[in-house]
Amino acid sequence: MELTAAHWTYLAGVVVIIGVMIARRNVVVPAVVATFLTAWFYSGSLVKGLASIFSASLTAAGELFSIFLIIALITALLGAMRAMGAERRMVVPFRALMRNGRMAFVAIAGVTYFISLFFWPTPAVPLIGAILLPAAIRAGLPAVSAAAAIAIAGQGMALSSDYVIQVAPGLSAKAAGVETSAVADRAMVLSVITGVVALTLVYLKARRSFGTVDDAHRLRWEAEADAESLPAEGGGSAASLGGTGTGRAARTAAASGGGAGAATKLLSPPGDGRGSGTGPDAGSGAGRTPPPDPDPGPGPDGTTGEPVRRSRAFAVLVPLTFAAIVGYMLLGKFTGAVTEVQGGEAAGLVGGVAMLLLFAAVFSIDGKDGLTTAADHVVDGLVFAFKAMGVVVPIAGFFFLGNVDFITQITGVQDDDPPALLFDLVTAVDQYIPDVGFVVAFAILLIGMITGLEGSGFAGLPLTGSLSGSLGPAADVDPATLAAVGQMGSVWTGGGVLIAWSSLLAVAGVARVPVQEVVRHCFVPVVAGLVTATALATVLF
């Protein structure tokens, strides 16, 4: 296909956005400007170009909303558990695995990889976020390092091989004209090489920031996340992720056996010993910190009251429920006892169960007032999800413009054969790739990474697969090997590790860290892993 002005404008937008990201600046403005110019040149209408700024973001929001919603529901559930103190008790069984930051890093990466191999990372991320992440933070693992470990092990290692479900190897193999098993086997090896290199580099980079077990780590993490959702002024009247107002925080502390002073400390910035709550239930215990034991036993009056029993019950119920979900999905995968959970059904199952657990928690705390507090928790979760991740929507809108499936919807131009701007640009340069195995492998890797920029790790696989089938024989390289290399580039980039407008949103959301910070933390280690795996691919296969 002949390249048009829209192609060149889109290419210029991609280059500018990558440059701005390297400069560590926000890319929303260049993404919106590039969307406008590309749509204008493609449609030939200034009005359609202007309208595309809105429709691109609207399209991206629709595609990404499932990720936003799962973040919101898990955040709401965690907020309800915090309101009764159950969230602190829930992490007790994981202390044996997470005695310090180093052990927590290995444990959280290993569990994420295992779950993601069978069910893809989408349901794994909220499960890890709800159960393991608080324990890892308490053990001294920084939140950004935890997010990097989850992303690399789940969205990277597990998804790039897709060894169990085999959707990705199937797409690559079909386009390359080879057996699916051949691509799957090579992709498994390359994904492990890439992941081990990336995880090792992330570990070495962050090891000095790893700490030892201390409840202060988790409380500081929660307080920093709460601070992002609180207004800058207005004293203590704003809502936190755990609920609305400081009265709910006071109930959290009471259920945990820590008294009202713990509530005021929880909502104070790190290092601030003053309680600032103004709600009806706010405490006044200045400078008092919550007890270090998440299961303090009897309350201040020496008795084990109903709030404590409730807290203990939900600390057991929530992880057992999520474990049952994993067991159900395993049964569906390996037996005929139950229906197999496929695709988006897994995330829907996790989200639906999280909502029901939220309702059970708030009604057990607040009784008839649960009708109000349940809605408060859901709103708090949605506010957090959109405040933390909403900036990605216009960026994703630009890259969706390069996808043949969305360009008509975004621009409003009815075309029987709409262009795939990104794929057309990549296809235009394949004739200039020399027939040398080592060079071809890295060219396929680069093409895969470029196609992954649109935020879908699997969308570029037909292209990298077909290029592998055509370039492999001439370069004396097995097409299955090249297809696996292209799969690495596309999935590690678009599947949710190297770009912010992808499912990496979910990882950053549960870890409560800026998504672009996670990208920066992962970028060099993952690229180093991909380079190592590609170089070894030409030797091993």
Side-chain angles (χ1 to χ4, degrees):
M1 179 178 182
E2 182 181 355
L3 299 183
T4 64
H7 287 89
W8 293 112
T9 306
Y10 186 83
L11 175 61
V14 171
V15 172
V16 169
I17 288 174
I18 293 175
V20 172
M21 288 181 64
I22 293 173
R24 299 189 177 186
R25 295 292 185 268
N26 196 296
V27 299
V28 170
V29 172
V32 169
V33 172
T35 300
F36 163 62
L37 293 176
T38 303
W40 183 11
F41 285 126
Y42 170 65
S43 65
S45 168
L46 176 62
V47 173
K48 288 186 181 295
L50 291 170
S52 294
I53 296 175
F54 174 80
S55 58
S57 292
L58 182 63
T59 300
E63 293 296 316
L64 298 175
F65 186 73
S66 61
I67 296 175
F68 282 64
L69 189 58
I70 196 70
I71 294 172
L73 293 178
I74 293 298
T75 301
L77 173 60
L78 289 176
M81 294 181 67
R82 286 174 56 192
M84 64 171 63
E87 174 257 357
R88 299 175 64 200
R89 290 188 171 90
M90 187 175 65
V91 303
V92 172
F94 301 105
R95 284 181 174 179
L97 289 176
M98 301 183 181
R99 299 180 184 225
N100 53 52
R102 293 173 175 82
M103 293 181 66
F105 183 87
V106 174
I108 206 166
V111 173
T112 302
Y113 180 67
F114 175 77
I115 297 177
S116 299
L117 265 180
F118 294 98
F119 311 115
W120 283 356
T122 305
V125 167
L127 289 172
I128 298 299
I131 300 175
L132 289 184
L133 196 56
I137 300 296
R138 178 183 177 274
L141 182 64
V144 69
S145 297
I150 293 171
I152 291 171
Q155 336 272 75
M157 289 176 67
L159 189 60
S160 65
S161 67
D162 196 14
Y163 195 73
V164 175
I165 303 175
Q166 294 199 353
V167 173
L171 290 172
S172 298
K174 184 177 180 180
V178 296
E179 292 292 329
T180 299
S181 59
V183 177
D185 292 342
R186 287 160 172 76
M188 183 66 174
V189 174
L190 297 181
S191 69
V192 171
I193 294 172
T194 305
V196 168
V197 171
L199 286 172
T200 301
L201 292 178
V202 168
Y203 177 91
L204 294 175
K205 178 182 178 181
R207 69 185 186 280
R208 293 184 180 178
S209 62
F210 292 168
T212 55
V213 174
D214 191 342
D215 263 351
H217 298 312
R218 182 178 54 80
L219 293 175
R220 188 180 304 113
W221 172 60
E222 293 173 348
E224 289 173 354
D226 286 346
E228 293 182 0
S229 63
L230 291 170
E233 60 262 0
S237 61
S240 71
L241 290 177
T244 55
T246 55
R248 187 171 296 167
R251 291 198 298 273
T252 302
S256 303
T264 58
K265 180 67 177 178
L266 181 62
L267 289 179
S268 299
D272 184 0
R274 300 182 303 277
S276 59
T278 60
D281 300 323
S284 59
R288 291 162 56 189
T289 59
D293 187 354
D295 191 10
D301 60 354
T303 62
T304 303
E306 182 63 25
V308 174
R309 287 195 295 269
R310 232 180 358 240
S311 173
R312 289 175 175 169
F314 275 88
V316 174
L317 175 63
V318 170
L320 284 182
T321 301
F322 283 127
I325 292 175
V326 174
Y328 180 87
M329 291 191 289
L330 283 171
L331 282 175
K333 182 67 181 177
F334 297 108
T335 72
V338 297
T339 303
E340 182 177 357
V341 179
Q342 297 179 338
E345 293 177 350
L349 179 60
V350 172
V353 169
M355 181 73 89
L356 294 180
L357 288 172
L358 165 65
F359 292 164
V362 296
F363 280 111
S364 71
I365 302 171
D366 301 315
K368 62 181 181 180
D369 292 333
L371 291 172
T372 300
T373 53
D376 289 341
H377 281 299
V378 173
V379 170
D380 291 342
L382 287 168
V383 168
F384 174 79
F386 277 89
K387 187 168 185 177
M389 310 300 160
V391 69
V392 175
V393 170
I395 304 171
F398 167 70
F399 284 95
F400 284 178
L401 184 60
N403 189 319
V404 68
D405 296 327
F406 298 114
I407 189 169
T408 298
Q409 180 180 348
I410 291 173
T411 62
V413 176
Q414 300 302 318
D415 191 341
D416 293 335
D417 187 22
L421 299 178
L422 189 59
F423 287 178
D424 290 345
L425 288 166
V426 172
T427 305
V429 300
D430 68 342
Q431 59 183 313
Y432 301 107
I433 301 175
D435 296 334
V436 178
F438 190 82
V439 175
V440 168
F442 275 96
I444 293 293
L445 173 68
L446 182 59
I447 290 171
M449 294 177 72
I450 292 173
T451 59
L453 287 175
E454 67 178 353
S456 172
F458 288 6
L461 298 183
L463 175 61
T464 57
S466 61
L467 290 176
S468 299
S470 61
L471 297 175
D476 197 24
V477 180
D478 189 342
T481 300
L482 292 179
V485 169
Q487 184 172 307
M488 293 299 104
S490 182
V491 177
W492 277 89
T493 302
V497 185
L498 292 182
I499 58 173
W501 48 93
S502 64
S503 57
L504 187 62
L505 286 168
V507 178
V510 298
R512 307 180 190 182
V513 294
V515 65
Q516 292 188 356
E517 184 178 349
V518 183
V519 171
R520 287 193 289 266
H521 207 70
C522 294
F523 187 82
V524 172
V526 169
V527 170
L530 288 172
V531 169
T532 303
T534 302
L536 290 175
T538 59
V539 177
L540 296 175
F541 305 113

